[in-house]
């Protein structure tokens, strides 16, 4: 058994909300997700913490008592908080002046929430997660102009985050304008040009980058590629990770079967598969190494924790304790292969 204790292992709460709600399955309560996370165990190893989606109905950012209540719950379950998802979809980085202002205000509220958790001693690490909150189709009406607007909004958000000592991580997904391909993602980060912005790599979403969904001009794997051809898949992953690894400050372990999926109000993006899905294209433990190690195979140690992301799983899957044990087991394998002791 590996003695590695870093990176710390986190579960995520936003899969209880994303794709759920009035036009889909019911939202899974935060306390349910907390309890199942705390109960998961694999060979004596447990989750170290939770990454939190600061989304209604799990959280009310204007409630001054919210962080104190959350801190008590985390401490009771011997967990910490890590990265936080800012509810930036109330606005848009590419929208009207008012929408862009709302976007930045949501980043500010997330930073304030995160600072309170740090002050309460329950958030030792982590970033604030954002995206452009803009669709690819709207972005494509004026790619250069719209990317410039998004970069300007991100810069404003970075300046706000810097005041709280926070870094912003942009999660590249095929459904977000200016972030929907690996090349567009690098271009946007370079254009923002702030020291406290980086990339949040999700193994499922970034695999879709290799297939060119929504950006066929940037596909790496041929259209008729055999996804069971491990050498072709590995070469494609290497191209994407070499480009984005230098920017990567947050990491989601995930599985994907090479398809897209949407649920409820969420646009189609890389399908998250269960950790044990036999149709999964990725070798999770091996392929995580493309993000956790540099081009020479040395550990980057660019972040102190990793998180499992499994959005839009059916509720009967998410309410099954074995699901979370399987997820924890996958994370343990990643840490055994690419972790360190500190």
């Amino acid at each position: 058994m590996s003695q590695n204790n870093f990176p710390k292992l986190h579960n995520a709460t936003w899969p209880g909300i994303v794709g759920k709600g009035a036009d889909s399955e019911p939202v899974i309560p935060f306390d349910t997700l907390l309890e199942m996370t705390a109960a998961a165990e694999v060979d004596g190893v447990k989750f170290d913490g939770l990454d939190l989606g600061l989304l209604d109905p799990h959280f009310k950012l204007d409630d001054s008592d919210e962080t104190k209540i959350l801190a008590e719950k985390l401490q009771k379950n011997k967990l910490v908080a890590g990265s936080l998802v800012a509810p930036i979809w109330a606005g848009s980085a590419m929208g009207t002046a008012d929408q862009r202002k709302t976007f930045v205000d949501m980043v500010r509220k997330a930073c304030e929430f995160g600072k309170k958790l740090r002050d309460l001693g329950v958030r030792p690490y982590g970033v604030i997660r954002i995206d452009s909150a803009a669709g690819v189709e709207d972005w494509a009406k004026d790619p250069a102009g719209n990317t410039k607007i998004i970069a300007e909004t991100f810069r404003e958000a970075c300046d706000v985050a810097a005041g709280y000592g926070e870094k912003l991580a942009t999660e590249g997904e095929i459904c977000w304008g200016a972030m929907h391909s690996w090349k567009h993602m690098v271009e946007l980060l370079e254009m923002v040009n702030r020291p406290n912005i980086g990339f949040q790599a999700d193994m499922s979403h970034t695999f879709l980058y290799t297939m060119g969904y929504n950006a066929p001009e940037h596909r790496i794997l041929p259209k008729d590629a055999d996804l069971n051809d491990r050498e072709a898949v590995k070469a494609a992953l290497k191209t994407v990770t070499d480009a984005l690894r230098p920017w990567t400050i947050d990491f989601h372990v995930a599985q994907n079967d090479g398809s897209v999926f949407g649920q409820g109000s969420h646009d189609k993006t890389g399908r998250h598969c269960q950790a044990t899905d036999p149709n999964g294209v990725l070798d999770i433990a091996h392929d995580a190494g493309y993000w956790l190690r540099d081009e020479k195979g040395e550990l980057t140690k660019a972040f102190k924790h990793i998180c499992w992301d499994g959005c839009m799983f059916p509720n009967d899957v998410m309410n099954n304790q074995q699901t979370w044990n399987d997820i924890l087991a996958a994370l343990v394998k990643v840490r055994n292969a690419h972790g360190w002791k500190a």
Side-chain angles (χ1 to χ4, degrees), residues 46 57 92 108 124 138 181 185 214 267 276 284 295 299 320:
K46 299 180 74 67
S92 171
R108 179 180 291 105
D138 286 338
S181 89
M185 190 71 254
N214 286 346
D267 291 338
T276 56
I284 295 174
E295 65 279 359
L299 294 173
N320 180 355

Side-chain angles (χ1 to χ4, degrees), residues 42-54:
V42 177
D43 297 329
V45 178
K46 299 180 74 67
F47 279 106
D48 298 297
L50 281 166
D51 282 11
L52 309 172
L54 302 184

Side-chain angles (χ1 to χ4, degrees), residues 91-260:
S92 171
M94 199 185 80
T96 64
D98 284 345
Q99 288 173 322
R100 293 172 62 194
K101 181 179 183 298
T102 297
F103 183 102
V104 175
D105 284 344
M106 291 300 104
V107 171
R108 179 180 291 105
K109 288 185 177 184
C111 290
E112 290 173 348
F113 195 95
K115 183 180 185 303
K116 289 178 182 178
L117 292 180
R118 288 203 308 272
D119 292 345
L120 290 165
V122 295
R123 184 171 173 252
Y125 44 66
V127 300
I128 305 295
R129 180 266 191 210
I130 63 171
D131 57 59
S132 63
V136 176
E137 188 174 339
D138 286 338
W139 170 87
K141 294 173 184 176
D142 180 10
N146 286 328
T147 298
K148 183 179 179 181
I149 292 171
I150 293 168
E152 289 173 353
T153 308
F154 280 12
R155 279 193 289 273
E156 291 181 35
C158 284
D159 292 344
V160 167
Y164 294 88
E166 291 284 358
K167 292 184 177 181
L168 303 182
T170 56
E171 184 178 19
E173 296 189 48
I174 60 167
C175 57
W176 303 128
M179 304 172 65
H180 57 288
S181 89
W182 59 285
K183 288 191 176 183
H184 289 314
M185 190 71 254
V186 171
E187 178 185 30
L188 178 60
L189 289 165
E190 289 176 343
M191 190 177 295
V192 175
N193 191 28
R194 286 287 190 275
N196 64 325
I197 196 167
F199 183 65
Q200 182 188 77
D202 177 294
M203 291 177 66
S204 173
H205 300 320
T206 52
F207 182 69
L208 269 291
Y209 276 172
T210 71
M211 302 182 73
Y213 276 97
N214 286 346
E217 69 276 17
H218 295 161
R219 73 178 306 140
I220 302 166
L221 288 168
K223 192 172 183 178
D224 57 351
D226 178 4
L227 298 185
N228 292 315
D229 182 348
R230 276 294 294 167
E231 293 308 309
V233 168
K234 286 159 63 175
L237 290 173
K238 187 176 186 304
T239 298
V240 168
T241 55
D242 283 351
L244 284 164
R245 188 191 309 109
W247 293 96
T248 301
I249 58 174
D250 206 48
F251 183 55
H252 289 170
V253 179
Q255 179 59 284
N256 180 266
D257 62 4
S259 70
V260 297

Side-chain angles (χ1 to χ4, degrees), residues 2-22:
S2 170
Q3 297 301 307
N4 294 336
N5 61 352
F6 278 89
K8 299 300 185 182
L9 310 180
H10 281 219
N11 199 7
T13 63
W14 57 83
I17 298 176
V18 173
K20 310 297 182 183

